[in-house]
Amino acid sequence: MPPPADIVKVAIEWPGANAQLIEMDQKRALSSIIREVCDGWSLSGSEQFALRYADGPQLYITEQSRGEIKNGTILRLAISPARAARQLLERIQSHGIDARLEALKELAKLSADPTFAAEFINMEGIGTLARLVESGTHFGEMLAFTLTAFLELMDHGIVSWDLISLSFIKQIAGYVNQPMVDVSILQRSLAILESMVLNSHSLYHRVAQEITVGQLIGHLQVSNQEIQTYAIALINALFLKAPEDRRQEMASTLAQKHLRSIILNHVIRGNRPIKAEMAHQLYVLQVLTFNLLEERMMTKMDPNDQAQRDIIFELRRIAFDGENDPTGTEKRKAMYTKDYKMLGFTNHVNPAMDFTQTPPGMLALDNMLYLAKVHQDTYIRIVLENSSREDKHECPFGRCAIELTRMLCEILQVGELPNEGCNDYHPMFFTHDRAWEEFFCVCIQLLNKTWKEMRATAEDFNKVMQVVREQITRALAMKPSSLDQLKNKLRGLNYSEILRLRQSERMSQDDFQSPPIIELRERIQPEILELIKQQRLNRLCEGSCFRKLGNRRRQEKFWFCRLSLNHKVLHYGDLDESPQGEVPFELLSDKIPVSDIKSVVTGKDCPHMKEKSALKQNKEVLELAFSVLYDPDETLNFVAPNKYEYCIWTDGLCALLGREMGSDLTRSDLDTLISMEMKLRLLDLENITIPEAPPPVPKEPSSYNFTYNYS
């Protein structure tokens, strides 16, 4: 008979004594269990003791967290959080340097525990640490541990960042501005300043007075990627929280060639791979930079504004007049309507009306003017080339430029907040001072080329735009490192290649609806589905690494989960770094019996998604989130690194529970596999036709010995 669900078998250690093996009744009060353990070692004052995990982060066990204890867990009897906090506070305030250093080292470790943190903060511990920093008398290891403990304690969100004094901010900023400072101190100082900016509007102004982007540039030229990451994160925080009146000033600083070239040469093109956190910060910087276009994107053109209308006149002049001839201006006014038609505007009489829709608003006109002035030969060639074609085959430059600008804003998500789980930065946007405008110039030439390849007419405008969108998105997915590489990728994605790719993808989906193919599909679907289930389970046995999401911005902390080879237990545990290959079961300290799993939920139904703030609860993170609900009322929460791993795990867990797999990607892959198998089997069928009359009965397919590498 299995043991009761409320009984957990654990081992409890105490220094210098043999471990106690007990059956912990989860219905009993924790204080009663601790008293019994103390009696076993003849320890008095059980209220001064508590239980902690012996492995991993060694967190304290509370009535709220005790449900996470599993069979076979090793615990340790330790002094209570309140007693530990009091002792450490006394040792930190002592005069012995060695004793103070050891106390700070232990405090830095214990501060990650929320139970201990609450006790230490209640004893005014944060104020004590702040005064140690403000005194300026601590250096080296002692200061590093002080800053670590301070940051960990503040990260729990128990007290407000607004309580931080100006002298503390100046001291921390001083460490960042010093030319030679210990790496650990610099790293923690940058992290503290970032948290101040992100968590307090008032502290933003104080930090901005002490730290400028120019002062952070030096930290981007070091070889330590951790320091580079924290420096870019602080730049992003200052940029993100900057008020409107300072946003343009920040933009001008970020647009400087000096800063861009340093990021390109020392970070993106450095001699080491870009880690996930650095990739995320580069993506955030890219998004924030593009979001500066939002104001122009949402600004309508005023048809009565002469300065704005002069820009359109300049476009006409560059295309048709060459050099301005003031004597002939009045004479040519009657021909302006014809010129505006040749420029491809929808409204030939007053083309300003074409820019009254937002998006793209005035941003489209900015792009057109940049092309006309910076790439004048290209601009004139596109305009004159189309004006010489037949009316039905001309590519309307004005209309195309406006729609292309709108499309590029959608593709690059201009005006949207960065997604927390996204690392999708594009190196080529860091290679040019006017990357957005140059990107537009490349794409407008692509559009004109595709229009000619499709032999398009005005009625085909939307079809051409769809093809161009596909060309651009496919090229961006290849991550070109420069605009020249982007051009090469786009040359390989001409209209013929897009048709070939579409046909190949369409054929792989196999949309035939003839009766024999439908019958064959129904016959082989169960075995293909079973094959997918088995391969999903095999991947779960190999395991996957997941990133931990904290209250502060993402840190390089990971955990690993894998299924036992007999499919009966999920093993998981924390890791210090992302593993290279499989993680042995012995290193995974926690486990969940599959028999205890009640269900698997995804997206908004996940407990860790319900707790997220509005900023973090973005679409991409929701699409990658899933949770395992198990007895009694516990959850194991995941955020998959990508859609592929999400489908592997959600489908594998559903298969493990004997339920139907349900992810969209699996359905697509299932159709692909069925189509592949059908094509192979159809080779062995005779006289299959698709007439009105019933088709002949196919003979039994031969046995095939194919191995699907579907992992």
Side-chain angles (χ1 to χ4, degrees), residues 281-503:
Q281 294 301 335
L282 291 172
Y283 154 78
V284 172
L285 181 59
Q286 172 185 291
V287 171
L288 295 177
T289 304
F290 282 148
N291 281 355
L292 294 171
L293 304 169
E294 183 181 12
E295 181 180 356
R296 293 293 285 174
M297 180 183 74
M298 301 306 295
T299 300
K300 297 180 179 181
M301 187 171 187
D302 182 1
N304 299 318
D305 189 322
Q306 186 59 43
Q308 295 179 358
R309 297 179 65 179
D310 285 345
I311 299 176
I312 299 177
F313 179 79
E314 182 70 3
L315 291 174
R316 190 210 63 79
R317 185 195 65 78
I318 294 174
F320 301 116
D321 289 355
E323 295 182 0
N324 196 7
D325 181 11
T327 60
T329 300
E330 293 299 325
K331 182 179 179 181
R332 287 192 55 84
K333 280 188 176 179
M335 303 178 63
Y336 283 178
T337 299
K338 179 182 177 182
D339 290 346
Y340 291 145
K341 180 180 180 182
M342 293 171 65
L343 277 171
F345 289 111
T346 303
N347 192 317
H348 308 151
V349 178
N350 186 6
M353 299 301 297
D354 287 15
F355 300 95
T356 56
Q357 185 176 358
T358 58
M362 291 294 290
L363 184 60
L365 187 59
D366 295 342
N367 287 340
M368 295 165 71
L369 185 62
Y370 180 88
L371 175 68
K373 287 192 171 183
V374 179
H375 301 279
Q376 191 172 115
D377 292 342
T378 299
Y379 168 70
I380 294 174
R381 176 179 56 79
I382 292 175
V383 173
L384 296 184
E385 184 180 271
N386 285 286
S387 63
S388 62
R389 295 180 190 168
E390 300 177 40
D391 285 348
K392 67 176 183 177
H393 286 293
E394 65 181 10
C395 177
F397 170 74
R399 182 184 177 190
C400 288
I402 293 171
E403 289 302 315
L404 178 63
T405 302
R406 189 201 321 275
M407 179 196 298
L408 297 183
C409 289
E410 292 174 357
I411 292 174
L412 297 177
Q413 300 177 332
V414 175
E416 297 185 16
L417 286 173
N419 293 322
E420 182 179 334
C422 186
N423 301 335
D424 190 21
Y425 80 98
H426 297 281
M428 68 177 185
F429 291 128
F430 293 87
T431 62
H432 201 284
D433 295 336
R434 304 293 295 271
W436 166 264
E437 291 86 349
E438 289 293 323
F439 183 46
F440 168 83
C441 293
V442 171
C443 293
I444 194 68
Q445 295 177 72
L446 168 72
L447 195 158
N448 186 62
K449 175 174 171 285
T450 302
W451 186 284
K452 290 187 291 185
E453 290 173 351
M454 295 179 65
R455 300 173 185 258
T457 63
E459 290 77 16
D460 301 319
F461 184 86
N462 291 333
K463 294 180 182 178
V464 175
M465 296 305 295
Q466 290 174 5
V467 173
V468 171
R469 176 186 282 270
E470 188 171 345
Q471 290 172 313
I472 294 171
T473 53
R474 286 182 184 271
L476 287 177
M478 300 177 192
K479 297 292 181 181
S481 59
S482 66
L483 289 166
D484 288 336
Q485 277 198 18
L486 174 68
K487 295 175 185 177
N488 292 333
K489 301 293 184 187
L490 291 173
R491 274 194 287 270
L493 288 169
N494 55 33
Y495 179 53
S496 299
E497 178 65 11
I498 293 295
L499 286 180
R500 189 192 68 78
L501 291 171
R502 285 180 174 181
Q503 184 178 12

